Amino acid sequence: MCVTCLKDEDLDAIKELVNIGVGRAAAMLNEITCSHIILHVPILQVIRIDELDSIGGLPRNEGAATVKIDFRGFFTGTTALIFPPESAAALVMAITGETDGQPELDAIRTETLMEVGNIFINGVMGSIGNVLGQQITYLPPVYVEDTIANIARSARFDPDERVLLANTHFYVEDINVEGIIVMILEIGSLDILLGRIAAVRGG
Amino acid sequence: MMKRVLIIDDSSFQRKIISSILAAEGYEIICAENGVEGLKNVADLHPDMIVLDLLMPGMNGTEVMEQIHRQGFQIPIIVLTADIQESTKQRCIEMGAARFINKPVKKDELRTAVREVLEVKCA
Amino acid sequence: MDLLPVGICIIDEGLKVRYWNTCLEEWTGMPTADMLGQDLTEHFPGLKKSGVIERIRQVLQGGAPAVFSSQIHICLIPSYFPDGTMRVQRTTLIPLNTGSEGHFNAMFVCEDVSALTEQVKSVRAMRNQTLHELEERRKAELALIAAHEDLRTYLAENTSRLRNSLNNAADDLKMIRQEMEAGDRDGVGTKLRDVIVTIESIEKRLSELNEAARERQREIRRAPPYFIPEPRDDGSTNRR
């Protein structure tokens, strides 16, 4: 299997896996925030790392609050949850019920964001992991304030390398918070995933 | 007579899995990949039951349910979705969904739900 | 791991405690010997909450590490300080491969962030206080600017009136001198009384101006310290 042979039905299957993972995470965030989470259908693209800068729908602001988990080994990539700065602060304030003062992201509040990011990323990776049926090796979650393009560049990805970008948005109703989930997958890992999906589909 | 089940889901992956589960149970399967096509199938092919996804581009599942009710069709709907929030489930039940099932689909859960819903319809 | 300054507990897929370190013994008062083999969720029922147990199970199935923040949970394994306050913790749950394929244990790493939480709270409080003071300062500055503008207008109006009164008095005195030089002294007494009235009104207005200046001085003294003019070397004042 190769990237050029990537069929619509393959992208569709991965999209559905991301959807299921995000849905599970949204149910947990719903419990935490007591607000309904509006979900959107993920958009999947295969792009070069250096194209991440020009992809629409991703925050270009370097102050974007990002939680990411890298995974290594037979299945390599990064899954990140990105909050535009104002959304990050509003979400933390909504979760903790704080009303006083300014919504600055200090050490304790970023830890809260890290948990929310962790919930979403684990939801998505859990869904993918179920299909892979093989143990993924994860690194601990990390909180950074940077663009996803810079994060990808600072990781081991080669700028010319083509990766799968799964991009989905969710909104926390009532508090108008936006989150963007991005999964960057090395092509070799994408091949493994597609192979497993084909097996599940019986193709 | 063979019962006709309409599957409305934008994911071909899901349509294929759901179809294979229900076809094995002896149901006649019709598929629609979006809400508009689904509504057309409802009007033209009069299915006995609908398995409906919620998160779809364009017309989403709740909008499809609204349209079905507005057009006066009394067809039981099983919502099968990745959006498993309790608030979403409540909304769907209030809108008249017969069942609310979480994705990923579990063969037994779907088979039982379809059988039960069709039994109630025929009773 | 016993020597680490963090609480560490390892559970197996049946939620039974496989390891309980010294730090947790100390924090919870529960000895390792009593905890080993026990169902952790029976001792700490908070772990059974759906949003927690589901994530613990994800880790036990080999999922990604899970983070439980102190703001959302306060702690997963509750413990208290001698004064009765709860120890605020950040907990990370890490999957541990048991060596048997598909089977994982989960390691709880509990960090005491009570001190950090207190520090952050006091920094937040200081920051909010500073922002409050800045806002007060801004409001006071605007009020002083407005008062200064009122005073300037008042001074301009009054100096103009004083100038007119002084000109009138000067004109009257010139006329009196001319009349006296011409030997006409009939109306001098009346005119001199008018001049005296004019001068009295000038004196009254000057007193009012003096009072206005004193009032402004009092306002400045009432203002927050950063608005009190500092004396310059040349004797004038300069706003801090």
Side-chain angles (χ1 to χ4, degrees):
Chain A
M1 202 168 294
C2 63
V3 177
T4 47
C5 327
L6 200 64
K7 293 179 236 149
D8 281 351
E9 63 178 28
D10 294 327
L11 286 174
D12 170 81
I14 299 170
K15 186 179 76 179
E16 199 58 16
L17 292 176
V18 172
N19 234 350
I20 290 169
V22 170
R24 195 181 299 171
M28 284 191 197
L29 186 60
N30 180 320
E31 265 186 48
I32 292 171
T33 60
C34 299
S35 293
H36 182 69
I37 316 295
I38 301 166
L39 301 174
H40 290 274
V41 181
I43 298 164
L44 263 71
Q45 292 161 284
V46 176
I47 57 163
R48 285 201 325 270
I49 284 284
D50 58 4
E51 288 174 323
L52 275 169
D53 283 319
S54 52
I55 291 288
L58 297 178
R60 308 256 161 78
N61 187 333
E62 294 195 349
T66 304
V67 181
K68 63 153 191 164
I69 289 186
D70 294 339
F71 34 96
R72 297 283 178 259
F74 84 99
F75 196 67
T76 298
T78 295
T79 301
L81 174 61
I82 310 164
F83 292 106
E86 59 283 4
S87 283
L91 179 61
V92 175
M93 302 291 269
I95 289 173
T96 58
E98 293 173 79
T99 50
D100 296 337
Q102 298 292 308
E104 286 293 307
L105 291 176
D106 53 39
I108 298 293
R109 287 174 179 153
T110 54
E111 189 196 298
T112 306
L113 275 185
M114 178 121 108
E115 176 165 356
V116 174
N118 183 235
I119 288 171
F120 272 88
I121 294 167
N122 289 13
V124 172
M125 294 314 295
S127 180
I128 303 264
N130 284 344
V131 169
L132 284 173
Q134 205 176 333
Q135 182 52 36
I136 302 172
T137 306
Y138 296 101
L139 272 61
V142 176
Y143 174 84
V144 279
E145 289 180 7
D146 208 341
T147 62
I148 191 67
N150 286 344
I151 289 167
R153 270 193 286 268
S154 66
R156 47 174 284 189
F157 298 112
D158 184 325
D160 287 332
E161 189 165 14
R162 290 172 74 80
V163 295
L164 175 79
L165 174 72
N167 173 6
T168 185
H169 288 229
F170 64 86
Y171 292 90
V172 183
E173 217 171 60
D174 307 328
I175 53 174
N176 205 21
V177 162
E178 180 191 12
I180 300 148
I181 296 159
V182 176
M183 182 172 72
I184 302 171
L185 213 53
E186 269 185 6
I187 288 305
S189 301
L190 178 60
D191 286 346
I192 292 168
L193 179 59
L194 293 175
R196 287 298 307 150
I197 287 170
V200 169
R201 199 168 33 209
Chain B
M1 191 181 158
M2 194 184 261
K3 297 288 180 193
R4 186 176 283 174
V5 178
L6 168 63
I7 299 164
I8 309 176
D9 196 316
D10 62 312
S11 164
S12 62
F13 182 64
Q14 288 293 346
R15 289 197 304 272
K16 192 165 182 180
I17 290 174
I18 301 164
S19 299
S20 67
I21 294 171
L22 297 181
E25 292 293 294
Y27 300 113
E28 181 192 348
I29 306 299
I30 318 159
C31 288
E33 62 178 52
N34 57 55
V36 175
E37 190 188 333
L39 285 174
K40 188 173 181 305
N41 286 346
V42 168
D44 296 348
L45 303 169
H46 304 289
D48 295 291
M49 206 199 65
I50 300 168
V51 175
L52 176 65
D53 181 26
L54 291 183
L55 294 172
M56 294 188 286
M59 185 184 285
N60 65 33
T62 47
E63 288 165 336
V64 172
M65 281 172 84
E66 272 172 10
Q67 286 296 323
I68 288 171
H69 294 315
R70 196 169 296 158
Q71 291 171 25
F73 294 107
Q74 302 286 323
I75 306 167
I77 296 170
I78 292 181
V79 171
L80 181 59
T81 180
D83 184 352
I84 60 171
Q85 297 174 78
E86 196 51 38
S87 47
T88 305
K89 181 178 178 178
Q90 269 323 108
R91 284 179 195 183
C92 290
I93 300 296
E94 281 164 18
M95 290 179 76
R99 288 284 195 285
F100 185 93
I101 301 178
N102 300 343
K103 282 185 184 175
V105 61
K106 289 167 210 76
K107 203 183 271 187
D108 289 342
E109 189 182 14
L110 180 64
R111 275 197 301 226
T112 309
V114 170
R115 197 182 308 129
E116 286 176 358
V117 169
L118 284 173
E119 275 170 15
V120 170
K121 193 197 173 201
C122 296
Chain C
M1 286 197 289
D2 251 358
L3 301 174
L4 291 174
V6 290
I8 295 179
C9 162
I10 298 173
I11 57 168
D12 61 23
E13 53 196 357
L15 306 174
K16 301 278 189 296
V17 176
R18 291 295 189 93
Y19 180 79
W20 188 257
N21 81 341
T22 311
C23 182
L24 277 181
E25 269 190 331
E26 205 172 296
W27 285 1
T28 62
M30 294 174 172
T32 302
D34 291 356
M35 288 305 293
L36 292 179
Q38 300 290 308
D39 183 332
L40 189 67
T41 62
E42 292 304 322
H43 281 271
F44 304 103
L47 296 172
K48 291 181 182 172
K49 283 193 289 187
S50 65
V52 177
I53 193 72
E54 202 178 316
R55 294 174 65 199
I56 294 175
R57 293 209 184 279
Q58 276 179 0
V59 173
L60 284 167
Q61 286 160 11
V67 176
F68 296 87
S69 67
S70 58
Q71 276 199 311
I72 296 177
H73 305 275
I74 305 178
C75 57
L76 285 195
I77 298 178
S79 64
Y80 298 86
F81 289 107
D83 67 0
T85 56
M86 188 175 258
R87 180 174 277 105
V88 182
Q89 296 170 43
R90 170 176 48 217
T91 309
T92 308
L93 209 51
I94 301 165
L96 296 179
N97 202 328
T98 59
S100 165
E101 200 181 322
H103 295 277
F104 292 87
N105 290 338
M107 178 165 71
F108 289 73
V109 180
C110 312
E111 298 166 76
D112 182 349
V113 292
S114 310
L116 175 67
T117 305
E118 281 310 308
Q119 282 167 12
V120 167
K121 274 185 190 165
S122 55
V123 167
R124 271 185 214 163
M126 271 165 32
R127 184 179 178 281
N128 289 342
Q129 177 65 24
T130 308
L131 287 171
H132 174 72
E133 282 177 4
L134 273 173
E135 181 58 19
E136 288 300 305
R137 177 178 176 155
R138 195 185 64 81
K139 282 183 197 163
E141 194 167 38
L142 288 173
L144 273 179
I145 289 167
H148 178 75
E149 188 58 30
D150 288 348
L151 184 69
R152 203 188 61 76
T153 309
Y154 178 76
L155 283 173
E157 282 171 5
N158 278 285
T159 48
S160 167
R161 282 184 197 149
L162 278 171
R163 195 176 299 116
N164 290 341
S165 300
L166 281 169
N167 287 342
N168 291 341
D171 289 346
D172 286 348
L173 285 172
K174 272 181 206 161
M175 200 180 290
I176 289 166
R177 195 184 70 187
Q178 284 167 1
E179 283 175 5
M180 285 184 73
E181 282 171 359
D184 180 4
R185 294 173 182 232
D186 290 348
V188 167
T190 312
K191 287 196 175 79
L192 273 173
R193 267 197 303 277
D194 288 347
V195 171
I196 288 165
V197 169
T198 305
I199 288 170
E200 279 172 351
S201 77
I202 290 169
E203 190 192 6
K204 190 177 169 215
R205 206 164 288 280
L206 279 169
S207 297
E208 286 170 4
L209 281 173
N210 191 31
E211 183 51 35
R214 281 171 192 275
E215 179 55 31
R216 182 173 183 268
Q217 196 64 34
R218 283 194 288 270
E219 274 175 16
I220 289 171
R221 286 199 185 113
R222 280 196 299 269
Y226 30 79
F227 287 115
I228 297 177
E230 278 181 337
R232 280 178 177 169
D233 291 343
D234 61 4
S236 65
T237 55
N238 185 24
R239 192 184 285 174
R240 223 185 267 173

